[in-house]
Amino acid sequence: MSILANKDTRVVIQGGAAGVNAARRMAEFCYLIKRPLTVEAFVYPPDAGKTNEVPYGSGLIAIPIYKTIAEATKNHPAINTSLVYIGADRAMKGGMEALDDPNIKVVSMITEGVPEKDAKLLGAHARKLGKVFNGPSSIGIISAGACRLGVIGGAFDNLVLSKLYREGSFGVITKSGGLSNEIIWICSQFADGITTAIGIGGDAYPGTDYVSYLEMFEKDPQTKAVVIVGEMGGDLEERAAEWYGAKKRRVKLIGVVSGFCQESLPKGMKFGHAGAKEGMKGEGSARSKSEALKKSGAIVPATFGALGPAIKETYQELLESGQVKEPVEPAVLPKLPKSVEEAMKADEVMVAPLIRTTISDDRGDEPCYDGYPASELINKGYEIPHVIGLLWDKRLISKQEAEIIKRIMMLSADHGPCVSGAYATILAACAGIGLSQAVAAGLIMIGPRFGGAVTDAGRWFKYAVDNKMNVDEFLVYMKKNVGPVPGIGHRVKSLRNPDKRVKELVGYVKSLKIKTPCLDFALAVEQVTAVKKDNLILNVDGTMAAVLVDLGFPVDSLNGFFILSRTIGLIGHWVDQKRQDSRLIRLFDYLVNYAAPKRREVPPLK
Amino acid sequence: MAKVLEGPGMGLMKKWGIHVPNYVVVTSADELTKLGQANDWMKTSKLVAKAHEALGSRFKLGLVKVGLDLNGAVAATKEMIGRQVGSITVSQVIVSEMVPHKEEYYCAVKSTREGSEVLVANCGGIEVESNWDRVKRLCLEVGQSPAPAQLEKLSKDAGFTGGLTKKMADFAGKMFTCFDSEDAQYLEVNPVVTRESDGELVALDAVTLLDGDAKFRHPDWNFVFAAEFGRSYSKDEVEVMAVDSKIKGSVKFIEIPGGDTAMLPAGGGASVYYSDAVVARGGKLANYAEYSGDPPDWAVEVLTEKVCSLPGIKNIIVGGAIANFTDVKKTFGGIINGFRKAKGDGKLKGVKIWVRRGGPREREGLDAMRALKDEGFDINVFDRNTPLTDIVDKALQK
């Protein structure tokens, strides 16, 4: 048996993220004791209609979120308990809503900093309705082996260590949330553990106090003794003492009180919880409380440290008198499934990675490119071409190579609005399309007929050089196996109207006196093809390709140089159109050759 | 509980229709001179000047001057402003008119578990303190307002007669309205006096304690709350309070000069048990501190730095119960950073650190603390198997 929280408890949680976290903790407990999840609904108006996912074992349970308590209890008539995780300024309204629902019998409020008056109104309202209002500032309520309300009990390991999977004989009532676990742990180590532990909250006027809960424990046959953990201020401990001393009680009462340090502190200095304030004229001091408890016949250890032995002694008496029997521990307890990360950390599982990378690592405080920290590259004077070298070819290129790449990029950054890529971007920009999509529209144009010949050009020039072909052999091979030579030929440029970009790049690379077998071969090819037809010149794609192959870049990366450079231009075109607030464009009829059939009658559908 | 100084306290009473003497709060003698030119009452009435600070025994300290004319009040203000009493510097003076009167009475409203109590006595001043049995009380449940008949009965029971019965009942009614509407926890007027000029009851002095948690629904609470222990907050205390107000969870820090055992425990409940253990062992607390509610690591780091900066400390008690949801590894991470910083600044020489804790990720947290040994810290680390306050026993063993 237990009090307040038991096998029949079904819960609605009022609140957002903190409430979901509590539900997770509650699910861990449910999983430990093999009962279905106690939380049936959330009430949180901003997310009404959605669900919260709560892990249970290795699965996930979707718990519906409602706008009001009434909706929650209508859809889940078994709900009889509400946990309030709402901010202090709205907590009273939420608490009242729960109390006023006919299905709900227990409301426990975790919210801290609730105005005193609100807490009193909630407590009074609950008493009037014959319900329980626990808190505010309550860590929760836990009944061993039966039910957990809130995060009380802590992490899963602690639930097991504190033997919360099965009933003991000790009830616990504490103002302090932090100490609740400590007492539960002590009860499990010095005795057979707890029945129910209740955090009543550290405020000055808890909605339900020690006496009400002592009455409930007194009526719970499984509970043989109750531990109360008090603190200076107010008169709750005195009232508990009064209750205990009033007549012979079935349960034994063990009590500790904190706040003796008050006596040796500067006057007026008060510590601890909001409720831990000294009463007028000395009443409410730790000493007066501890005296009152002693006088009532309760066991009052002198210090917190002596609490364990006192509980042990009580337990021994209960054993000897036959009131309790040594508990039998279950042979096997469920283990909480670990997350993959936790299991990997503990070397318990091997995961086949989904992807593999050999170029960069972002797991530290900054990205590393091929192992080099980005900031160090910057500080040592490296530039964009070096980053390209690291990420595309996994090597730190030389200053000279970087200069060549820089020039290639500068030469191919843009080629006016009329080419396929820029035109597509402009068209998209004028249709109101966003930057990334509009630029993507331009990039999509890059292919065999526009800008996308760099890789292929590089591949075949390299093939020729690697296989020591001469120009004639190469042209025959290409004609037979491939088709037109990629990198040769231009739509408008010709021998008489040369492409200045090609001239510039070739001139610069040749001036460096480095070995350029591919470029030399490409130029030799041009010598032959341009004679056949005026515009079969080495174009900018072919030039770039030959140079980059000579620098050692992998063939598959070559189109990347054009894509990257041209992206600069495409972004420029998009921004340009945006800045002008350009209107939507469509083709004029006269720009279209309408070669479709003339208008005709549609035959009947067969 | 938040204490409010007389000025704003009287302002709240006035707001709810309670007669209070004319008063001004000034920060300089010049300001008072200017106000004197603008307000007739300051020229025609006798005045009282009091230091407007959270100080006890102001009379004895010469920080209350009575029976002054305006010039006298200006002189008194000049004398009081800037005076140093302990850690408090007087920065404000409240100047109010003296209300000539013969009889003094008492009225208060206080918070109780059930609701509130209205207290009335037909004696006031220091007389009421020695005649506490003459105080009559009316207990009210929360949500309930006193009926006029109840208040008149209270007034009669307290010994008021004739026209004064109703006047006192009205006065107490207004006190209750003020108490209830302003989320007060304690309101006391001592003395209440009959103003000779018009026969109205006037509140001559006000003790006002408000519920700081209710600030969100009182946009006109534009005053700061006063420290409750007769001194102003230190720089480090104010800094920790500023952090506390910004974070989820809490960090608390109060200095106790002259102590040698520094406290850095977790939890509002456990922290007091740790303090008790230190006192019981004959130790001298150097501070009170507490962190709870899974605060961010940086907040705990700030708190740790302040604790390490306490002068003359020999031990630091990093205690804590088995946490429910405070992440031990994370919060200990903050403490470890604070320790390292303090050590780097040349602090913690000869200081022993004692750790005991449990809760989520306790093993990782405690291991990280243990590893500080290798960095030259004098640190002793215990887990949940060592009872809560045993580290205090070990630390203070002679």
Side-chain angles (χ1 to χ4, degrees), chain A residues 116 118 120 158 182 259 261, chain B residues 111 115 185 211 276 356 384:
Chain A
E116 221 172 87
D118 298 4
K120 286 191 216 171
N158 190 61
E182 190 71 25
C261 59
Chain B
S111 179
Q185 290 171 326
D211 182 353
D276 281 0
R356 188 272 184 188
R384 59 164 71 211

Side-chain angles (χ1 to χ4, degrees), chain A residues 72-369:
Chain A
T73 53
K74 185 174 159 240
N75 287 290
H76 308 267
I79 287 175
N80 51 17
T81 301
S82 173
L83 299 183
V84 184
Y85 282 85
I86 306 177
D89 54 341
R90 291 161 293 127
M92 179 165 88
K93 197 164 162 278
M96 287 291 182
E97 185 189 350
L99 284 171
D100 283 332
D101 190 281
N103 289 16
I104 290 176
K105 305 288 185 270
V106 176
V107 176
S108 188
M109 183 177 281
I110 186 96
T111 315
E112 295 193 348
V114 175
E116 221 172 87
K117 185 172 152 191
D118 298 4
K120 286 191 216 171
L121 286 167
L122 284 161
H125 195 57
R127 281 191 291 280
K128 197 180 83 195
L129 297 171
K131 298 183 177 185
V132 173
F133 175 74
N134 185 61
S137 307
S138 163
I139 191 72
I141 300 169
I142 189 164
S143 293
C147 182
R148 175 189 204 176
L149 300 175
V151 300
I152 185 170
F156 188 84
D157 292 349
N158 190 61
L159 300 177
V160 175
L161 286 172
S162 300
K163 298 171 186 161
L164 285 164
Y165 45 80
R166 56 123 185 96
E167 261 185 336
S169 310
F170 287 71
V172 174
I173 316 172
T174 159
K175 283 183 183 170
S176 161
L179 285 174
S180 59
N181 270 357
E182 190 71 25
I183 308 295
I184 294 170
W185 159 253
I186 291 173
C187 287
S188 72
Q189 300 305 300
F190 290 89
D192 61 351
I194 65 150
T195 51
T196 300
I198 305 157
I200 64 172
D203 289 7
Y205 302 108
T208 309
D209 64 4
Y210 295 125
V211 172
S212 315
Y213 291 132
L214 282 169
E215 289 277 5
M216 292 184 204
F217 276 128
E218 178 77 0
K219 287 181 197 135
D220 172 41
Q222 177 68 29
T223 304
K224 305 294 192 291
V226 179
V227 184
I228 65 173
V229 183
E231 44 191 35
M232 66 197 161
D235 63 353
L236 298 187
E237 291 79 3
E238 284 88 340
R239 289 156 66 110
E242 197 183 307
W243 175 87
Y244 193 64
K247 63 177 195 188
K248 175 90 185 104
R249 302 292 181 183
R250 185 187 58 79
V251 291
K252 289 176 190 292
L253 183 63
I254 303 167
V256 281
V257 182
S258 70
F260 288 93
C261 59
Q262 198 76 59
E263 293 169 8
S264 54
L265 289 180
K267 196 171 165 278
M269 201 175 266
K270 290 150 202 163
F271 295 160
H273 293 123
K277 54 194 178 194
E278 214 172 354
M280 310 264 162
K281 304 192 185 296
E283 78 203 23
S285 70
R287 198 160 298 276
S288 94
K289 287 171 187 298
S290 148
E291 291 305 322
L293 283 168
K294 265 184 216 161
K295 239 170 83 186
S296 74
I299 302 157
V300 185
T303 62
F304 195 90
L307 184 59
I311 288 172
K312 186 171 188 175
E313 200 175 311
T314 306
Y315 180 58
Q316 289 302 331
E317 282 170 25
L318 290 168
L319 276 177
E320 278 157 30
S321 66
Q323 287 184 73
V324 299
K325 289 197 183 75
E326 291 273 11
V328 184
E329 303 295 345
V332 193
L333 283 167
K335 283 212 171 87
L336 190 69
K338 285 193 173 109
S339 72
V340 172
E341 272 178 329
E342 288 166 340
M344 284 175 77
K345 232 182 236 170
D347 283 333
E348 287 172 2
V349 64
M350 210 279 289
V351 176
L354 185 65
I355 61 168
R356 176 171 182 264
T357 179
T358 64
I359 56 169
S360 72
D361 193 336
D362 63 325
R363 289 170 300 177
D365 50 359
E366 67 171 317
C368 286
Y369 305 143

Side-chain angles (χ1 to χ4, degrees), chain A residues 358-399:
Chain A
T358 64
I359 56 169
S360 72
D361 193 336
D362 63 325
R363 289 170 300 177
D365 50 359
E366 67 171 317
C368 286
Y369 305 143
D370 196 37
Y372 301 114
S375 64
E376 218 177 306
L377 289 168
I378 292 170
N379 292 330
K380 293 194 173 160
Y382 288 93
E383 291 178 27
I384 285 281
H386 295 98
V387 174
I388 295 173
L390 287 171
L391 294 176
W392 294 11
D393 197 23
K394 301 211 288 168
R395 65 192 174 94
L396 216 41
I397 57 174
S398 69
K399 228 176 179 170

Side-chain angles (χ1 to χ4, degrees), chain A residues 534-577:
Chain A
D534 193 37
N535 69 344
L536 288 182
I537 51 165
L538 180 62
N539 62 29
V540 73
D541 291 9
T543 316
M544 275 166 68
V547 172
L548 289 164
V549 168
D550 284 335
L551 293 184
F553 275 90
V555 164
D556 285 327
S557 74
L558 301 186
N559 271 343
F561 287 89
F562 183 80
I563 293 169
L564 179 65
S565 322
R566 189 50 57 91
T567 300
I568 299 170
L570 298 180
I571 292 171
H573 285 294
W574 185 87
V575 173
D576 181 42
Q577 297 303 321

Side-chain angles (χ1 to χ4, degrees), chain A residues 24-102:
Chain A
R24 295 201 165 127
R25 292 292 197 194
M26 289 161 75
E28 288 180 7
F29 181 76
C30 291
Y31 179 77
L32 173 68
I33 63 167
K34 300 179 183 125
R35 78 170 277 187
L37 181 57
T38 41
V39 181
E40 297 202 348
F42 287 89
V43 169
Y44 191 58
D47 289 345
K50 299 180 189 164
T51 59
N52 282 325
E53 309 291 310
V54 179
Y56 181 91
S58 56
L60 276 176
I61 300 176
I63 308 292
I65 308 168
Y66 298 95
K67 202 172 170 191
T68 62
I69 288 280
E71 280 173 42
T73 53
K74 185 174 159 240
N75 287 290
H76 308 267
I79 287 175
N80 51 17
T81 301
S82 173
L83 299 183
V84 184
Y85 282 85
I86 306 177
D89 54 341
R90 291 161 293 127
M92 179 165 88
K93 197 164 162 278
M96 287 291 182
E97 185 189 350
L99 284 171
D100 283 332
D101 190 281

